[in-house]
Amino acid sequence: MASSAYRNGGVPRGALRAQPSGSNGRQSSSFKSRLAPSSSPGSAVRRSSPASLGGGGGGSFKNQDGVPGRVRVAIRLRPRNAEEMSADADFADCVELQPELKRLKLRKNNWDSDTYEFDEVLTEYASQKRVYEVVAKPVVESVLDGYNGTVMAYGQTGTGKTFTLGRLGEEDTADRGIMVRSMEDILANVSPDTDSISVSYLQLYMEYIQDLLDPSNDNIHIVEDPKTGDVSLPGATHVEINEQQSFLELLRIGEAHRIAANTQLNTESSRSHALLMVHVKRLVTGGEDAPSIENGNSSHFIKPSKPLVRKSKLVIVDLAGSERIHKSGSEGHMLEEAKSINLSLSALGKCINALAENSSHVPVRDSKLTRLLRDSFGGTARTSLVVTIGPSPRHRGETTSTILFGQRAMKVENMLKIKEEFDYKSLSRKLEIQVDKLVAENERLQKDFEDEVERINLEAQNRISEVERNFADALEKEKLKCQMEYMESIKELEEKMVSNQRKHNRDGFFDDKHIEEGLASSVEEASEIKRQLNDEISRRKALEEEVNNLKSRLARCLQPKENGGGEILRLHKDLEDEVLEKKRLEEEVIMLRSQLLQMTLDTDQPRYLDRGAYRDSFNGLNPLTSQDQNPHYRSNGNRQKASAATLSEEVGLQKILSLLESDDANVRIHAVKVVANLAAEEVNQERIVEAGGLTSLLMLLRRYEDETVRRVAAGAIANLAMNEANQELIMVQGGISLLSMTASNAEDPQTLRMVAGAIANLCGNDKLQQKLRTEGGIRALLGTVRCGHPDVLSQVARGIANFAKCESRLATQGIRTGRSFLIEDGALPWIVHNANDEAAPIRRHIELALCHLAQHEVNAKDMVSGGALWELVRISRDCSREDIRNLACKTLNSSQIFRAELRRLRVEY
């Protein structure tokens, strides 16, 4: 802090002024002030001074006592820019930084200077990470603990306020500003299940509060709570944030809508104050919040603890730069903007002066800016201020006023408070869940009880029935047993009686007669059994003799077959030799027929072949041939196609395809030429693919280095690639990799033309965009331009136009996002260089490609930096085709980036 006595010369040089009353004369060892623990609120000191920009402090707070915290101020020096290096080359900087002592010296002249102390002094070499850690990170940590926080940048226009706060770091992540880094820390420390984050992005322009996320909402009113004095903006857009990428997209949208202008002090001077409000809602977990129903005992209901919600708000304020009219050169509407900015900054300075001097009246209502920041200075928020200055001695006056503003802000004391509210909705929801669980449990227990009673009744009935049934069965069994015993007893008595009678009535003679009759019957039975045994033995011997006869007859039959086996093998070998000889003769016949047809064509058209500078004998094989060819060449090509079709009908397509694998180079070359001519006709393409011709052609590119074979095979593949179904087969079978390898190894212009034509056809398929780029198809296409031949360049331009058109269509449908693959693979410089080529086909394709690339807004910045914007303007004016001119005009009008750049350059289109 500056000492007035020292600045007036009353104290020797090197002496320092004492600290302000708020700091009690002590140097802070850390930019983050130490807060009293929230668990012991009784030890905190309530501020008694009535001078508060925040007004009343009601609300549902955990306690009404707060933690005192002074506004922390850091100063940051911007390095010299190019203009200052030129204009101030003979002058020293007007400030001298002493970061280790946390002071700076402001030179009044060569022998006198004023000394000021700040909480942090950041040199021009300080990184964005260090600025965030010493300025904003303590505030972000307080916001996560439940306190409100404010980070604000103040300074002259062009000193780096927006760079410090709002830099997105798209080109270099090390340049990320406080806004981006703050959200990274907040997202890393909150729970997505219980906590929530919402963001509003506003600008204060000409005393009107406008929503940067909804530009149509351009007059948002400030609402103050009459009881608590809290300020709210109910009309502002609140967007829930769950991940960093969506937050960055919101910042891009807001920056695009923020008002800026070109002044003499800054090419992109902010003409409004920007306020980023981050609302953090965190749930404070407590004790048991569920009833105990273990062991079926739900009568002991444990009352859930009251859930607490901590609501905090982080406000990041990028103030518009203060400026002097005679230096900024503002006039007209910009002059009115400058007046509005200076008035709002002046009102903020008056409020800070009143707070620093403990005045009884603080003029909060002089400006909407001070009403929005009433909680940041003298209120309940933790506030950090970074003041930015420039080194140029030409702006010493502005630098002095900026330093004094920071010195006065260091005297402002805030009373930090945590705002905790009972989450009655959450508590009600939990109780409803508990009641539902208890009702469901009660219903389940009741149903189980009823089921158990029914089961016991049914089991008892079953047991009674079973006992009755068992008793009846036992009784019946006992009855039957008694009857059987009675009958057996009667029978035994009768038998005894009969036996006794026989014993008394019969004599011994009668008994001998019965014995002899029994012996005679036994002898007869034994003789019969012996006879049957002898018959069985005879039949068995006869069967064995018959089996032996059959075996001997079988041996005699097999003996001639074994003697004739050698003859059969010899016949098989002769048959195989005949098949191989037939195959060889067929190959020779096909080759001779192909040579005969080719010689006939050469004899019929000698003058046309001599005039062809670099065309092959299969000139008519594909649609890649230029449209301005001589009609005789087309006639020659048509005759070759007819001849190839005739040969295919006579020999068979499968035979011709089999010759592609022949060991004879001449046979292989003639076969691939015939296939290429057949592929030029759409009616033959499906038959070629079904017969495996595509696979064979790709095999030729992979296995053979013969220039003629590769050229003709690439042309045939280009013809097959005209069909969308064939395009997917080419990709699946690795065709892009093989075409890329052929393009890198070939030097012949015609081979490169065929390869470029094949890739150009594949570029027109929406489904193959990602795979085509992944397998190096775009780079291979661009690599073919090295030969510089017009036919090759025309095919490259056609492929780029096809690819850009597909990307534009996918982006319109919402399928494709992000920058164009063409731009990422480095095609834009070649496109811009050849956009005005003398050859009409090349120029037309590139003009279409530029229009399609420009339709996607994410490509606009790269096209502006790459010089494509000028070509679009030329196309909208000078293109010979009306549809392309209209497309270019429509693209320029629909892009905000293009319109802004053209307005900046004052270009009419």
Side-chain angles (χ1 to χ4, degrees):
M1 283 154 263
S3 171
S4 59
Y6 175 51
R7 291 199 300 271
N8 295 332
V11 181
R13 296 188 67 177
L16 300 177
R17 183 184 176 186
Q19 297 286 338
S21 59
S23 61
N24 297 327
R26 292 176 294 175
Q27 293 282 348
S28 174
S29 61
S30 172
F31 190 66
K32 177 181 178 182
S33 63
R34 296 179 173 84
L35 299 177
S38 59
S39 60
S40 57
S43 62
V45 180
R46 183 190 299 274
R47 184 179 180 186
S48 59
S49 172
S52 173
L53 189 57
S60 300
F61 291 100
K62 182 178 179 180
N63 56 73
Q64 294 299 322
D65 293 332
V67 179
R70 176 174 59 80
V71 175
R72 317 296 294 179
V73 181
I75 189 164
R76 186 180 192 185
L77 177 64
R78 172 183 58 76
R80 285 193 177 192
N81 55 33
E83 180 185 357
E84 291 170 347
M85 288 182 179
S86 175
D88 302 334
D90 298 333
F91 300 94
D93 292 346
C94 65
V95 292
E96 177 185 349
L97 302 183
Q98 297 177 337
E100 65 280 357
L101 301 177
K102 297 183 180 180
R103 74 170 61 145
L104 83 92
K105 290 183 179 181
L106 178 64
R107 294 191 180 92
K108 297 193 294 186
N109 48 48
N110 291 336
W111 56 87
D112 195 8
S113 62
D114 293 331
T115 303
Y116 302 90
E117 288 188 356
F118 290 91
D119 294 298
E120 283 292 338
V121 175
L122 302 169
T123 67
E124 62 270 34
Y125 305 109
S127 65
Q128 291 281 76
K129 180 180 179 182
R130 170 163 170 74
V131 173
Y132 169 73
E133 289 178 347
V134 301
V135 174
K137 190 170 185 178
V139 179
V140 173
E141 292 175 351
S142 298
V143 170
L144 292 171
D145 291 336
Y147 297 92
N148 289 343
T150 302
V151 179
M152 187 169 68
Y154 177 90
Q156 182 190 7
T157 181
T159 55
K161 300 182 296 302
T162 302
F163 178 84
T164 300
L165 296 182
R167 190 74 169 182
L168 299 182
E170 293 177 328
E171 295 82 5
D172 187 356
T173 56
D175 289 342
R176 291 170 296 156
I178 288 177
M179 291 182 180
V180 178
R181 294 177 185 269
S182 299
M183 184 55 68
E184 288 177 353
D185 277 1
I186 291 174
L187 289 173
N189 289 278
V190 299
S191 172
D193 299 329
T194 58
D195 305 336
S196 64
I197 304 170
S198 63
V199 170
S200 299
Y201 201 9
L202 312 169
Q203 71 173 354
L204 179 60
Y205 176 69
M206 301 287 285
E207 286 301 304
Y208 286 96
I209 301 176
Q210 301 176 356
D211 197 333
L212 291 175
L213 303 181
D214 183 10
S216 61
N217 190 8
D218 58 358
N219 190 12
I220 301 174
H221 297 286
I222 300 176
V223 178
E224 297 183 13
D225 191 333
K227 295 182 179 180
T228 64
D230 291 340
V231 174
S232 62
L233 300 169
T237 301
H238 290 263
V239 180
E240 294 289 335
I241 298 297
N242 296 318
E243 46 93 16
Q244 185 71 10
Q245 192 59 37
S246 60
F247 175 69
L248 293 176
E249 189 62 29
L250 288 181
L251 289 183
R252 293 190 190 98
I253 295 173
E255 288 300 319
H257 294 150
R258 191 175 178 188
I259 299 175
N262 185 3
T263 67
Q264 294 180 4
L265 295 177
N266 190 358
T267 57
E268 294 184 5
S269 176
S270 301
R271 313 308 291 172
S272 63
H273 307 298
L275 295 91
L276 177 68
M277 297 183 178
V278 182
H279 301 269
V280 181
K281 181 179 178 182
R282 305 194 71 183
L283 180 66
V284 181
T285 57
E288 294 291 334
D289 55 0
S292 175
I293 56 174
E294 294 181 0
N295 300 324
N297 184 12
S298 61
S299 61
H300 300 287
F301 185 82
I302 300 177
K303 183 178 180 181
S305 61
K306 295 181 180 180
L308 298 178
V309 175
R310 287 183 178 176
K311 295 182 178 180
S312 56
K313 178 174 66 174
L314 172 63
V315 181
I316 302 178
V317 186
D318 182 10
L319 295 175
S322 60
E323 61 182 54
R324 295 185 179 180
I325 305 304
H326 70 278
K327 289 187 176 182
S328 65
S330 299
E331 57 184 14
H333 185 66
M334 290 175 57
L335 179 59
E336 297 300 322
E337 292 175 343
K339 290 180 180 178
S340 176
I341 292 171
N342 290 336
L343 284 174
S344 59
L345 293 177
S346 176
L348 178 62
K350 290 179 181 178
C351 291
I352 289 178
N353 287 340
L355 290 172
E357 297 170 0
N358 287 329
S359 174
S360 59
H361 171 67
V362 180
V364 178
R365 297 188 176 276
D366 288 356
S367 171
K368 288 186 179 180
L369 177 63
T370 54
R371 293 177 66 190
L372 290 171
L373 298 179
R374 64 183 304 171
D375 193 45
S376 303
F377 292 95
T380 62
R382 170 182 290 279
T383 302
S384 289
L385 173 66
V386 53
V387 293
T388 58
I389 60 174
S392 176
R394 291 180 295 163
H395 305 303
R396 182 180 287 106
E398 291 83 348
T399 302
T400 302
S401 64
T402 301
I403 292 173
L404 294 178
F405 179 88
Q407 292 286 292
R408 289 190 295 271
M410 291 177 67
K411 299 179 182 180
V412 177
E413 284 278 348
N414 292 350
M415 189 61 62
L416 313 183
K417 294 181 180 180
I418 296 179
K419 186 177 181 180
E420 289 184 347
E421 297 179 354
F422 294 126
D423 191 0
Y424 291 107
K425 292 183 179 179
S426 176
L427 178 60
S428 174
R429 187 163 55 253
K430 289 183 179 180
L431 291 176
E432 288 177 357
I433 294 173
Q434 292 175 10
V435 169
D436 291 340
K437 288 182 178 179
L438 289 175
V439 170
E441 182 67 17
N442 185 39
E443 291 178 352
R444 185 181 63 79
L445 293 176
Q446 182 68 23
K447 188 176 185 304
D448 291 345
F449 176 75
E450 293 175 356
D451 292 344
E452 184 67 17
V453 170
E454 184 178 357
R455 186 186 64 79
I456 292 174
N457 289 334
L458 182 61
E459 185 177 353
Q461 292 177 1
N462 292 335
R463 291 184 65 183
I464 291 172
S465 300
E466 185 179 358
V467 169
E468 290 178 348
R469 188 171 56 254
N470 291 338
F471 178 76
D473 293 342
L475 184 62
E476 185 69 22
K477 288 180 181 179
E478 189 66 22
K479 182 180 178 180
L480 292 174
K481 182 179 178 182
C482 293
Q483 290 178 355
M484 292 297 295
E485 290 177 353
Y486 174 77
M487 294 299 293
E488 288 178 356
S489 298
I490 295 298
K491 186 177 181 180
E492 288 178 359
L493 291 175
E494 289 179 352
E495 289 178 353
K496 286 181 179 181
M497 185 179 67
V498 171
S499 63
N500 289 331
Q501 289 177 357
R502 288 177 179 178
K503 185 177 180 181
H504 290 286
N505 294 330
R506 296 178 181 179
D507 51 14
F509 177 78
F510 183 78
D511 293 336
D512 294 338
K513 183 179 179 180
H514 275 280
I515 293 171
E516 290 177 357
E517 290 178 354
L519 291 173
S521 62
S522 298
V523 170
E524 290 177 358
E525 290 178 359
S527 299
E528 181 65 22
I529 292 172
K530 185 176 180 181
R531 184 182 61 77
Q532 292 177 357
L533 179 61
N534 292 330
D535 292 341
E536 185 67 26
I537 292 171
S538 300
R539 284 196 296 270
R540 181 177 178 182
K541 288 181 178 180
L543 290 175
E544 287 179 354
E545 290 178 358
E546 186 175 358
V547 168
N548 292 331
N549 292 333
L550 291 175
K551 286 182 178 180
S552 61
R553 290 174 61 187
L554 178 63
R556 287 194 299 273
C557 291
L558 292 176
Q559 186 174 1
K561 185 175 181 180
E562 293 175 357
N563 296 333
E567 184 66 22
I568 293 174
L569 291 176
R570 185 181 62 77
L571 292 175
H572 274 293
K573 188 174 183 305
D574 292 343
L575 182 61
E576 290 177 356
D577 293 341
E578 288 292 334
V579 170
L580 293 176
E581 183 66 19
K582 180 181 179 182
K583 183 177 180 181
R584 186 182 63 79
L585 292 175
E586 287 178 352
E587 291 180 358
E588 291 181 359
V589 169
I590 293 171
M591 183 184 71
L592 292 173
R593 286 182 178 178
S594 176
Q595 290 176 352
L596 179 60
L597 290 172
Q598 187 65 39
M599 290 172 63
T600 303
L601 291 173
D602 294 342
T603 305
D604 292 340
Q605 301 294 334
R607 56 185 181 278
Y608 304 131
L609 292 178
D610 292 340
R611 293 175 59 183
Y614 49 84
R615 291 175 174 83
D616 244 307
S617 60
F618 64 101
N619 197 17
L621 67 89
N622 63 60
L624 300 178
T625 311
S626 303
Q627 297 298 323
D628 57 350
Q629 284 188 6
N630 192 303
H632 298 292
Y633 284 108
R634 290 197 294 269
S635 176
N636 183 24
N638 292 333
R639 280 192 294 272
Q640 291 192 37
K641 296 174 186 176
S643 302
T646 303
L647 183 61
S648 173
E649 293 175 358
E650 293 178 355
V651 179
L653 180 61
Q654 197 64 44
K655 288 291 184 180
I656 296 174
L657 293 178
S658 65
L659 294 180
L660 294 177
E661 302 180 3
S662 175
D663 296 333
D664 192 331
N666 293 328
V667 174
R668 191 166 56 247
I669 291 173
H670 283 285
V672 73
K673 287 182 179 181
V674 173
V675 174
N677 281 288
L678 289 173
E681 294 293 335
E682 187 175 356
V683 295
N684 298 326
Q685 292 179 0
E686 184 177 356
R687 292 196 305 117
I688 292 174
V689 173
E690 291 178 353
L694 177 59
T695 304
S696 299
L697 292 171
L698 294 174
M699 179 270 297
L700 292 178
L701 291 182
R702 181 183 295 108
R703 292 174 52 184
Y704 298 104
E705 298 182 358
D706 185 87
E707 191 70 27
T708 303
V709 171
R710 292 196 299 179
R711 177 171 65 253
V712 182
I717 294 172
N719 287 331
L720 294 177
M722 297 290 289
N723 187 301
E724 184 175 353
N726 297 340
Q727 292 172 357
E728 297 183 5
L729 290 176
I730 292 172
M731 297 294 292
V732 169
Q733 297 185 24
I736 283 297
S737 301
L738 294 175
L739 290 171
S740 302
M741 179 183 67
T742 305
S744 62
N745 296 332
E747 297 295 336
D748 179 55
Q750 282 306 298
T751 302
L752 294 175
R753 178 171 68 90
M754 299 300 178
V755 173
I759 298 176
N761 290 337
L762 295 175
C763 287
N765 193 322
D766 297 349
K767 303 176 183 178
L768 307 179
Q769 294 267 299
Q770 181 67 42
K771 193 169 184 181
L772 187 67
R773 190 264 180 131
T774 303
E775 296 187 7
I778 298 175
R779 296 187 182 277
L781 183 65
L782 293 173
T784 59
V785 304
R786 64 182 183 274
C787 73
H789 197 280
D791 287 348
V792 178
L793 299 183
S794 177
Q795 295 301 326
V796 174
R798 182 171 69 87
I800 290 175
N802 288 343
F803 197 92
K805 183 177 181 180
C806 290
E807 280 192 327
S808 176
R809 184 161 55 244
L810 294 176
T812 304
Q813 296 172 358
I815 301 174
R816 175 80 170 87
T817 59
R819 291 198 310 162
S820 169
F821 290 153
L822 293 172
I823 294 178
E824 291 182 356
D825 283 357
L828 186 59
W830 186 86
I831 294 174
V832 174
H833 179 72
N834 293 274
N836 199 14
D837 195 275
E838 294 179 357
I842 298 175
R843 182 173 65 253
R844 183 179 70 254
H845 288 313
I846 291 181
E847 287 173 350
L848 282 172
L850 282 172
C851 292
H852 288 307
L853 286 175
Q855 287 180 346
H856 198 17
E857 186 72 9
V858 75
N859 299 327
K861 290 185 178 180
D862 294 296
M863 297 186 70
V864 170
S865 61
L869 178 58
W870 295 110
E871 294 299 332
L872 283 173
V873 174
R874 179 191 62 77
I875 294 169
S876 66
R877 295 174 178 174
D878 304 334
C879 183
S880 58
R881 286 181 52 173
E882 184 179 359
D883 56 339
I884 299 179
R885 286 202 311 274
N886 295 337
L887 182 58
C889 292
K890 179 181 177 182
T891 303
L892 290 173
N893 290 325
S894 63
S895 173
Q896 296 180 359
I897 295 177
F898 288 159
R899 293 203 306 271
E901 183 67 14
L902 292 174
R903 283 198 303 271
R904 186 180 70 83
L905 299 174
R906 299 178 181 178
V907 175
E908 298 292 337
Y909 59 94

